[in-house]
Short mmCIF file of all heavy atoms in Angstrom, two decimals:
data_model
loop_
_atom_site.label_atom_id
_atom_site.label_comp_id
_atom_site.label_asym_id
_atom_site.label_seq_id
_atom_site.Cartn_x
_atom_site.Cartn_y
_atom_site.Cartn_z
N ASP A 8 -21.96 4.83 -20.82
CA ASP A 8 -23.06 3.90 -20.71
C ASP A 8 -22.67 2.52 -21.24
O ASP A 8 -21.53 2.31 -21.65
CB ASP A 8 -24.30 4.43 -21.43
CG ASP A 8 -24.02 4.73 -23.01
OD1 ASP A 8 -22.99 4.18 -23.47
OD2 ASP A 8 -24.82 5.46 -23.57
N ALA A 26 3.10 -2.39 -28.92
CA ALA A 26 4.06 -1.29 -29.04
C ALA A 26 3.66 -0.17 -28.18
O ALA A 26 4.56 0.68 -27.71
CB ALA A 26 4.23 -0.84 -30.48
N VAL A 32 3.14 -0.72 -19.28
CA VAL A 32 3.08 -1.77 -18.24
C VAL A 32 4.46 -1.95 -17.59
O VAL A 32 4.59 -2.04 -16.39
CB VAL A 32 2.56 -3.06 -18.85
CG1 VAL A 32 2.69 -4.22 -17.86
CG2 VAL A 32 1.08 -2.89 -19.29
N LEU A 35 5.15 1.05 -15.22
CA LEU A 35 4.44 1.04 -13.96
C LEU A 35 4.87 -0.14 -13.09
O LEU A 35 5.01 0.07 -11.87
CB LEU A 35 2.91 0.95 -14.29
CG LEU A 35 2.32 2.14 -15.03
CD1 LEU A 35 0.95 1.76 -15.53
CD2 LEU A 35 2.27 3.33 -14.10
N ASP A 40 7.51 -1.74 -7.97
CA ASP A 40 8.62 -2.42 -7.22
C ASP A 40 8.10 -3.52 -6.31
O ASP A 40 8.59 -3.62 -5.13
CB ASP A 40 9.40 -1.30 -6.47
CG ASP A 40 10.74 -1.89 -6.01
OD1 ASP A 40 11.29 -2.82 -6.60
OD2 ASP A 40 11.21 -1.34 -4.97
N ALA A 44 -0.71 -1.80 -6.48
CA ALA A 44 -1.04 -0.64 -7.29
C ALA A 44 -2.51 -0.36 -7.32
O ALA A 44 -3.35 -1.35 -7.26
CB ALA A 44 -0.49 -0.82 -8.68
N LEU A 58 -0.77 -5.64 -16.20
CA LEU A 58 0.06 -5.27 -15.05
C LEU A 58 -0.10 -6.34 -13.98
O LEU A 58 0.90 -6.82 -13.33
CB LEU A 58 -0.36 -3.94 -14.51
CG LEU A 58 0.59 -3.34 -13.38
CD1 LEU A 58 2.01 -3.21 -13.81
CD2 LEU A 58 0.03 -2.03 -12.94
N VAL A 65 -3.19 -5.47 -8.29
CA VAL A 65 -3.86 -4.26 -8.82
C VAL A 65 -5.30 -4.24 -8.40
O VAL A 65 -6.01 -5.29 -8.38
CB VAL A 65 -3.79 -4.22 -10.29
CG1 VAL A 65 -4.46 -2.93 -10.85
CG2 VAL A 65 -2.35 -4.30 -10.82
N ASP A 76 -18.16 -4.08 -15.89
CA ASP A 76 -18.75 -5.28 -16.51
C ASP A 76 -17.91 -5.85 -17.54
O ASP A 76 -17.72 -7.08 -17.69
CB ASP A 76 -20.17 -5.07 -16.92
CG ASP A 76 -21.12 -4.74 -15.80
OD1 ASP A 76 -20.80 -5.04 -14.64
OD2 ASP A 76 -22.24 -4.17 -16.10
N ALA A 85 -11.76 -11.26 -7.44
CA ALA A 85 -10.69 -11.75 -6.67
C ALA A 85 -9.28 -11.33 -7.33
O ALA A 85 -8.35 -11.03 -6.58
CB ALA A 85 -10.74 -13.22 -6.42
N THR A 96 -13.03 11.24 -4.91
CA THR A 96 -13.44 11.03 -3.52
C THR A 96 -13.52 9.59 -3.07
O THR A 96 -13.46 9.33 -1.87
CB THR A 96 -14.83 11.71 -3.34
OG1 THR A 96 -15.82 11.06 -4.11
CG2 THR A 96 -14.78 13.21 -3.67
N PRO A 100 -9.68 0.11 0.54
CA PRO A 100 -8.84 -0.18 1.72
C PRO A 100 -7.39 -0.33 1.32
O PRO A 100 -7.00 -0.85 0.24
CB PRO A 100 -9.47 -1.51 2.25
CG PRO A 100 -10.82 -1.64 1.55
CD PRO A 100 -10.67 -0.90 0.25
N VAL A 106 -0.08 4.63 -7.31
CA VAL A 106 -1.40 5.03 -7.84
C VAL A 106 -1.16 5.62 -9.20
O VAL A 106 -0.28 6.39 -9.42
CB VAL A 106 -2.12 6.04 -6.93
CG1 VAL A 106 -3.46 6.42 -7.55
CG2 VAL A 106 -2.33 5.54 -5.49
N ASN A 115 -11.17 13.91 -17.45
CA ASN A 115 -12.62 13.51 -17.34
C ASN A 115 -13.27 14.29 -16.16
O ASN A 115 -14.49 14.58 -16.19
CB ASN A 115 -12.84 12.07 -17.06
CG ASN A 115 -12.41 11.22 -18.29
OD1 ASN A 115 -12.18 11.75 -19.37
ND2 ASN A 115 -12.30 9.93 -18.09
N ARG A 117 -14.03 17.65 -14.70
CA ARG A 117 -14.16 18.83 -15.50
C ARG A 117 -14.15 20.08 -14.71
O ARG A 117 -14.42 21.20 -15.19
CB ARG A 117 -15.43 18.76 -16.37
CG ARG A 117 -15.37 17.60 -17.40
CD ARG A 117 -16.68 17.36 -18.14
NE ARG A 117 -17.13 18.64 -18.78
CZ ARG A 117 -18.36 18.84 -19.16
NH1 ARG A 117 -19.33 17.98 -18.81
NH2 ARG A 117 -18.65 19.94 -19.76
N GLU A 124 -8.75 17.49 -5.86
CA GLU A 124 -9.12 16.48 -4.94
C GLU A 124 -8.70 15.04 -5.43
O GLU A 124 -8.41 14.16 -4.63
CB GLU A 124 -10.68 16.45 -4.78
CG GLU A 124 -11.20 17.58 -3.97
CD GLU A 124 -10.50 17.71 -2.60
OE1 GLU A 124 -10.37 16.71 -1.90
OE2 GLU A 124 -10.06 18.83 -2.24
N VAL A 140 1.34 8.47 -10.66
CA VAL A 140 1.77 8.64 -12.09
C VAL A 140 0.57 9.03 -12.91
O VAL A 140 -0.52 8.46 -12.75
CB VAL A 140 2.31 7.32 -12.57
CG1 VAL A 140 2.75 7.46 -14.07
CG2 VAL A 140 3.54 6.84 -11.75
N VAL A 162 -7.52 11.76 -38.43
CA VAL A 162 -8.25 11.74 -39.70
C VAL A 162 -7.88 10.48 -40.46
O VAL A 162 -6.69 10.36 -40.99
CB VAL A 162 -7.91 13.00 -40.53
CG1 VAL A 162 -8.67 12.97 -41.82
CG2 VAL A 162 -8.27 14.25 -39.71
N HIS A 183 -16.18 12.75 -32.28
CA HIS A 183 -15.76 11.58 -33.00
C HIS A 183 -16.88 11.27 -34.09
O HIS A 183 -18.00 11.08 -33.72
CB HIS A 183 -15.62 10.37 -32.10
CG HIS A 183 -14.55 10.51 -31.08
ND1 HIS A 183 -13.29 10.17 -31.16
CD2 HIS A 183 -14.70 11.08 -29.81
CE1 HIS A 183 -12.60 10.46 -30.07
NE2 HIS A 183 -13.47 11.04 -29.20
N ALA A 205 2.50 22.37 -15.53
CA ALA A 205 2.83 23.14 -14.34
C ALA A 205 1.61 23.17 -13.40
O ALA A 205 1.79 23.24 -12.16
CB ALA A 205 3.14 24.59 -14.70
N LEU A 213 -0.14 20.74 -3.52
CA LEU A 213 -1.22 20.87 -2.57
C LEU A 213 -1.61 19.65 -1.92
O LEU A 213 -2.11 19.65 -0.79
CB LEU A 213 -2.45 21.48 -3.31
CG LEU A 213 -2.35 22.89 -3.86
CD1 LEU A 213 -3.57 23.22 -4.75
CD2 LEU A 213 -2.16 23.94 -2.68
N ALA A 214 -1.34 18.51 -2.57
CA ALA A 214 -1.59 17.20 -2.01
C ALA A 214 -0.43 16.62 -1.18
O ALA A 214 -0.56 15.53 -0.68
CB ALA A 214 -1.96 16.21 -3.10
N VAL A 222 8.73 12.76 -18.13
CA VAL A 222 9.18 12.43 -19.48
C VAL A 222 8.10 12.57 -20.51
O VAL A 222 7.00 12.76 -20.16
CB VAL A 222 9.73 10.97 -19.53
CG1 VAL A 222 11.04 10.86 -18.63
CG2 VAL A 222 8.74 9.95 -18.97
N HIS A 226 8.42 5.49 -22.93
CA HIS A 226 9.72 5.00 -23.31
C HIS A 226 10.81 5.84 -22.59
O HIS A 226 12.05 5.43 -22.59
CB HIS A 226 9.95 5.13 -24.82
CG HIS A 226 9.10 4.17 -25.66
ND1 HIS A 226 9.40 2.87 -25.80
CD2 HIS A 226 7.94 4.43 -26.28
CE1 HIS A 226 8.48 2.30 -26.56
NE2 HIS A 226 7.58 3.22 -26.87
N GLU A 233 8.42 20.93 -27.22
CA GLU A 233 7.72 20.44 -28.32
C GLU A 233 6.94 19.10 -28.04
O GLU A 233 6.24 18.61 -28.90
CB GLU A 233 8.74 20.12 -29.46
CG GLU A 233 9.47 21.27 -29.99
CD GLU A 233 8.59 22.41 -30.43
OE1 GLU A 233 7.63 22.12 -31.17
OE2 GLU A 233 8.80 23.57 -30.08
#
Side-chain angles (χ1 to χ4, degrees):
D8 60 17
V32 172
L35 295 169
D40 194 26
L58 186 60
V65 181
D76 294 340
T96 62
V106 178
N115 294 347
R117 297 171 59 201
E124 289 306 313
V140 180
V162 179
H183 301 267
L213 292 172
V222 291
H226 295 279
E233 301 302 316

